[in-house]
Amino acid sequence: MQPAIIHDFSDVSYRLLDLSSEKKLSSAITASIQKMNLPGGTTPVVGYQLPEQTPYSVEIASLVNRNMNSGSLFYPEVLVLDKNYQTVDCLTADEMIYQPRQFLNPENVSTTLQINAGDKARYLVVYTTDELRQDTTVLFNEAKAYAEARGQVAPPIPDIEAKHVSQGELLIRLTPITSDTVRTQQSMEVDSKLRMVPTIAHKAIKSDGNVEVMIDEAILHIQSELEKGNVAGAMKLRQEAITTASQAEQTFINAYGRDKTTLKLPGSPADNANAAEKVRHYFNSGIISALQSNDSNRALLLVDEAKRFASEMDRAFE
């Protein structure tokens, strides 16, 4: 029996999100889930009620279901609603970033938003569209990535693609932003502003000790995996660096040209965040901070530096 079609956001069944839980909340999207008629077509919808305590960040991830040579994926968009179920923000498919499997984090497409005091956000509605269901996402191909890292010709095998479908699994994680994380974030912003004087921006960024330390640590990590004979693990670490560069570029694309008052710094990484998450936050927060200051030159230079970070990883394989 097909579920009834919901016609109003007030009729959506909302799951209450709890800041006290440190675990990711899993939500299955099945054929029996509630559906709505939205401008993009009839779609399954998953609703979440946000906590009133602020500030915090919300990570929304849709997991890839991968088989040997194919996969499937519920490719999401997200509406942010106020207490009257009116739209206050929309996170489109362009703001979703593909993330290969990393350590304990499953392969997914995801985005993160920050909820601050005074924001009107009270509900999240996750859905998809007819247009998105006609598309696919190219997945990380270990064999091709290995050949690329070795400077070899990639094997003549097709890309592994995930079809966009109406079913899948969502993971939601709330991370409280405490006074300690705020102070850390502010310190990073001030530190970056002191280093990145616009008149010598390129030189300042290239000599940024933080970036050099991140490069050295990442290379050592990859070399450690290679010494253990774990080539697959080393390649995944290299792919993380590539993803970092891609996300930095996408952050610039999504933010450039927008009213700076609408730009929000990404939430600080959780205390137990891995190194890759902290590196991404360093670049993404720096880019947003630069654009908030109307310094697009500095933001672009940070994009270039993120790409340099990724390209330097190949030294570990020499």
Side-chain angles (χ1 to χ4, degrees):
M1 181 177 178
Q2 292 294 322
I5 301 296
I6 298 171
H7 299 286
D8 194 279
F9 288 123
S10 62
D11 295 326
V12 172
S13 176
Y14 292 97
R15 189 172 181 179
L16 180 62
L17 297 177
D18 187 355
L19 271 176
S20 64
S21 174
E22 297 181 357
K23 296 181 179 179
K24 292 184 179 180
L25 180 67
S26 176
S27 297
I29 305 173
T30 65
S32 61
I33 202 169
Q34 56 195 345
K35 292 181 172 61
M36 283 191 73
N37 287 323
L38 295 178
T42 301
T43 172
V45 291
V46 181
Y48 301 98
Q49 182 179 345
L50 296 169
E52 295 185 6
Q53 305 95 322
T54 56
Y56 54 86
S57 64
V58 187
E59 179 188 356
I60 305 160
S62 182
L63 305 190
V64 173
N65 179 20
R66 184 195 277 250
N67 299 315
M68 182 67 70
N69 296 310
S70 63
S72 63
L73 168 68
F74 180 89
Y75 208 103
E77 292 193 344
V78 181
L79 287 177
V80 183
L81 310 178
D82 65 13
K83 64 180 181 180
N84 297 317
Y85 305 102
Q86 299 300 306
T87 301
V88 295
D89 199 2
C90 178
L91 304 178
T92 65
D94 292 337
E95 296 174 83
M96 300 291 164
I97 305 298
Y98 168 68
Q99 308 282 3
R101 182 176 178 84
Q102 302 164 11
F103 304 110
L104 299 178
N105 295 325
E107 190 173 25
N108 68 81
V109 293
S110 61
T111 191
T112 301
L113 68 153
Q114 182 172 317
I115 308 298
N116 299 303
D119 287 352
K120 297 180 179 180
R122 290 295 178 270
Y123 301 96
L124 298 180
V125 175
V126 185
Y127 63 98
T128 191
T129 68
D130 289 343
E131 182 178 1
L132 285 171
R133 280 183 286 234
Q134 301 303 312
D135 206 353
T136 60
T137 292
V138 177
L139 305 179
F140 175 63
N141 189 316
E142 195 169 282
K144 287 188 174 182
Y146 178 80
E148 180 183 340
R150 293 291 187 179
Q152 301 171 354
V153 177
I157 56 178
D159 288 329
I160 302 173
E161 297 184 344
K163 295 181 179 179
H164 297 176
V165 297
S166 296
Q167 300 181 30
E169 182 180 0
L170 298 177
L171 287 182
I172 307 294
R173 180 173 65 182
L174 269 65
T175 304
I177 300 175
T178 65
S179 58
D180 288 339
T181 58
V182 170
R183 281 196 295 270
T184 299
Q185 179 172 300
Q186 290 173 340
S187 176
M188 288 177 64
E189 291 172 17
V190 171
D191 186 52
S192 66
K193 288 177 182 178
L194 289 173
R195 286 197 181 96
M196 300 173 189
V197 181
T199 55
I200 54 171
H202 195 271
K203 179 180 179 182
I205 290 177
K206 291 298 183 183
S207 62
D208 186 340
N210 288 333
V211 174
E212 297 304 325
V213 168
M214 289 188 289
I215 288 173
D216 290 343
E217 289 182 349
I219 289 175
L220 286 174
H221 198 173
I222 292 174
Q223 289 175 336
S224 175
E225 294 301 312
L226 290 173
E227 289 171 1
K228 296 174 187 175
N230 185 11
V231 177
M235 289 305 304
K236 286 181 180 179
L237 291 172
R238 178 180 179 274
Q239 181 60 36
E240 286 182 4
I242 295 172
T243 300
T244 293
S246 175
Q247 190 174 42
E249 186 172 57
Q250 194 63 49
T251 295
F252 180 88
I253 291 171
N254 292 338
Y256 180 73
R258 286 176 52 186
D259 181 349
K260 67 178 183 179
T261 62
T262 67
L263 298 179
K264 296 181 180 180
L265 288 167
S268 298
D271 292 340
N272 61 348
N274 61 37
E277 292 173 321
K278 293 176 181 177
V279 170
R280 287 194 200 103
H281 179 267
Y282 183 86
F283 287 119
N284 292 336
S285 62
I287 291 167
I288 295 297
S289 178
L291 292 175
Q292 286 176 331
S293 303
N294 292 323
D295 193 350
S296 58
N297 182 53
R298 179 159 62 89
L300 278 171
L301 288 169
L302 276 170
V303 173
D304 290 341
E305 191 71 343
K307 291 180 179 179
R308 184 175 76 89
F309 171 79
S311 66
E312 286 288 314
M313 295 308 102
D314 288 353
R315 285 200 283 116
F317 294 87
E318 293 176 353

